[in-house]
Amino acid sequence: MPEIQMPKLSDTMTEGTLISWKKKVGDQVTAGEVLAEIETDKATMEWEASDDGILTKIYVEEGGKVNVGDKIAFIGGEGEAPADGAASEDDEPETKEIEGGDESMGEEPTEAKSEPAPEKSPAKKEKAPTQEKKSPAQEEPEPKSESGRVKASPLARKIAAEKGIDLTSINGTGPGGRIVEKDLEGTSGKPAAPKPARVAAPEISAGETARINLTGMRKVIADRLASSLGPVPHFYLNIEINADALMRVRAELKSAGDEDAAKITVNDFILKAAVVAASREPKVNAAFDGDAIIQYGDVNLAVAVAIEEGLVTPVIRAAQNKSLREISAAVKDLAGRARNKRMKPEEFQGGTLTVSNLGSYGIDYFSAIINPPQAIILSIGAIVRQPVVNADDEIVPGYRMKIGMSCDHRVVDGAIGANYLKALRQLLENPSLLLL
């Protein structure tokens, strides 16, 4: 059987953290059984075994980080063991690198093995030719893992990212054709976007403090939002809507005696309205793709959900085909499973627009950052009871809600955004239209 590799459990995942093993070496494993818990950039997920067999070898201990496509375990048949009955020569450095957990410490010890030592045992001599750098005529395309991901050390990836080097064009000289630091010497690429300089936190005398290492999810949040607000030209549109009818219909549903109807919230109305408005103004349901704009047929609604580790955006697919009740049920199911870390990888992927609602936190108004490659994100504030002027010029109590819309100006112009918000306003101020 093949070595078990770190799976790609989300569209942005490049490495995973092995949180816990549910099986130990020597245990019988059945396909479909939970083998381990893996933390991705978006959530901690249970990972099921795909083959029957015996867990013969574990390469990554609990708490270790490993790149997508790198091997983490071996499941074999009765009496079956990894090649040569043990981990290959280049397995040990990978395990050391993972256990160390610090990519900033430089290249892994395997580089020292790429230079033949003066004295070697016969077994080592047999392997030496496979680690010698080939002549240009002998060089073959750089090997990739079964997942299609280029094999490279963490330090090599860091250098490549800083220099803008395409790793697929580099021939690796490390173990198994892995790209290491010396393979990038003298190589240049397109300039990478400058990263913000790290500013050391000032020392403050305030008693005991803690340094909390970033989780994989928080790292991706930091990287993606920084890459969004810089390259993506944001502009912002804002409206205030009359929420009197919305509050009235919501109260009627609660008192109607229908258990399912009573569960429908104001946020459910907002989500349904966001989808219907996108169907009326489809140019917002799009993405920028270099030399083209991709316009989507389905409205895959991403909903921002706060969890302990950060923020996730589970997706309701083809939301334009779902009723208000179905959207209400779907978002409650997704949010509940997101908070309990029981979501499937595909349920985070493929959103075409996002809604973020901070009204329940008492926020009246805010401007959200676009989730690339999407073109818009809605920022929903709290419904506030305040004095308003009615049609008879009388000051009366009323409900108002502020909505912000962040737009990618490469895709959405002001007029398109305004038309979308006009449709959104009409739907939310006449919520009975959403019940049809």
Side-chain angles (χ1 to χ4, degrees):
M1 293 183 183
E3 304 280 359
I4 305 303
Q5 299 174 335
M6 174 59 73
K8 187 176 179 69
L9 297 175
S10 77
D11 53 343
T12 55
M13 179 180 174
T14 59
E15 67 175 12
T17 300
L18 206 302
I19 298 298
S20 65
W21 285 103
K22 302 302 183 183
K23 296 285 186 178
K24 61 181 182 295
V25 172
D27 283 354
Q28 181 72 38
V29 176
T30 303
E33 275 191 298
V34 175
L35 186 62
E37 273 194 332
I38 294 175
E39 182 191 57
T40 73
D41 54 342
K42 294 185 175 178
T44 299
M45 301 181 184
E46 291 181 339
W47 183 43
E48 299 178 353
S50 57
D51 295 297
D52 295 340
I54 297 172
L55 183 57
T56 305
K57 181 78 175 177
I58 289 177
Y59 298 117
V60 183
E61 298 302 322
E62 292 183 351
K65 292 185 179 181
V66 60
N67 293 330
V68 169
D70 287 352
K71 55 191 174 185
I72 60 175
F74 179 84
I75 296 178
E78 187 69 35
E80 185 180 3
D84 300 328
S88 61
E89 201 173 322
D90 58 319
D91 289 339
E92 295 180 11
E94 286 193 47
T95 304
K96 290 179 182 177
E97 173 191 319
I98 293 162
E99 291 173 351
D102 186 356
E103 297 180 3
S104 65
M105 293 180 67
E107 198 57 60
E108 64 272 24
T110 35
E111 284 196 55
K113 293 185 179 181
S114 64
E115 296 293 335
E119 295 182 5
K120 284 190 176 182
S121 65
K124 297 287 184 180
K125 286 181 181 178
E126 291 177 7
K127 290 198 173 188
T130 64
Q131 295 186 0
E132 291 178 359
K133 188 170 182 179
K134 298 177 181 180
S135 64
Q138 294 175 312
E139 287 180 350
E140 299 175 357
E142 195 279 322
K144 296 184 180 180
S145 66
E146 291 183 8
S147 65
R149 189 170 183 272
V150 173
K151 293 171 63 177
S153 71
L155 182 57
R157 291 186 184 281
K158 181 179 178 182
I159 294 171
E162 291 173 350
K163 293 185 176 181
I165 298 171
D166 180 7
L167 288 177
T168 61
S169 64
I170 303 298
N171 291 309
T173 61
R178 198 179 196 197
I179 298 172
V180 293
E181 179 186 11
K182 67 178 183 179
D183 297 325
L184 304 180
E185 292 177 359
T187 304
S188 61
K190 61 182 180 181
K195 293 186 178 180
R198 178 179 171 184
V199 180
E203 292 186 7
I204 301 174
S205 179
E208 184 177 347
T209 60
R211 180 178 177 84
I212 302 172
N213 292 328
L214 294 180
T215 62
M217 180 187 298
R218 180 53 61 182
K219 287 179 182 177
V220 170
I221 290 173
D223 290 343
R224 282 180 64 81
L225 295 188
S227 67
S228 173
L229 196 57
V232 177
H234 286 57
F235 77 95
Y236 308 94
L237 300 174
N238 310 290
I239 59 172
E240 182 179 84
I241 73 161
N242 181 344
D244 288 346
L246 189 58
M247 296 298 287
R248 183 174 62 253
V249 170
R250 165 73 177 123
E252 290 172 354
L253 290 175
K254 285 186 68 175
S255 61
D258 185 324
E259 186 176 345
D260 288 338
K263 294 178 181 178
I264 295 175
T265 66
V266 168
N267 189 58
D268 297 332
F269 277 96
I270 293 168
L271 296 178
K272 176 63 175 176
V275 172
V276 175
S279 298
R280 295 183 180 181
E281 184 52 74
K283 290 182 179 179
V284 303
N285 192 46
F288 184 76
D289 187 31
D291 59 353
I293 293 173
I294 299 173
Q295 191 165 310
Y296 300 105
D298 285 337
V299 181
N300 290 345
L301 179 65
V303 183
V305 176
I307 62 175
E308 185 177 350
E309 295 87 349
L311 183 73
V312 294
T313 52
V315 176
I316 303 173
R317 298 189 179 281
Q320 78 279 2
N321 298 327
K322 291 180 168 55
S323 67
L324 178 62
R325 284 179 185 244
E326 289 172 330
I327 287 178
S328 176
V331 73
K332 289 176 177 61
D333 172 61
L334 289 170
R337 289 192 290 112
R339 294 187 178 105
N340 291 318
K341 302 176 181 178
R342 292 295 178 265
M343 291 199 65
K344 300 174 183 177
E346 61 269 19
E347 291 175 319
F348 290 109
Q349 302 168 14
T352 60
L353 62 86
T354 299
V355 174
S356 178
N357 189 340
L358 291 179
S360 62
Y361 294 89
I363 300 300
D364 294 337
Y365 166 76
F366 67 105
S367 297
I369 299 175
I370 294 169
N371 184 18
Q374 299 169 25
I376 68 165
I377 182 170
L378 290 177
S379 312
I380 311 298
I383 294 179
V384 179
R385 197 161 192 254
Q386 63 186 40
V388 298
V389 179
N390 66 14
D392 298 323
D393 290 334
E394 298 170 333
I395 298 178
V396 296
Y399 291 100
R400 296 293 184 268
M401 178 172 65
K402 293 180 180 178
I403 297 177
M405 177 176 171
S406 305
C407 309
D408 181 347
H409 215 327
R410 298 172 301 179
V411 180
V412 176
D413 294 327
I416 295 171
N419 286 335
Y420 175 79
L421 289 179
K422 180 181 178 181
L424 186 67
R425 183 201 297 275
Q426 182 192 23
L427 292 164
L428 290 176
E429 292 186 349
N430 299 277
S432 58
L433 296 173
L434 300 170
L435 300 172
L436 301 176

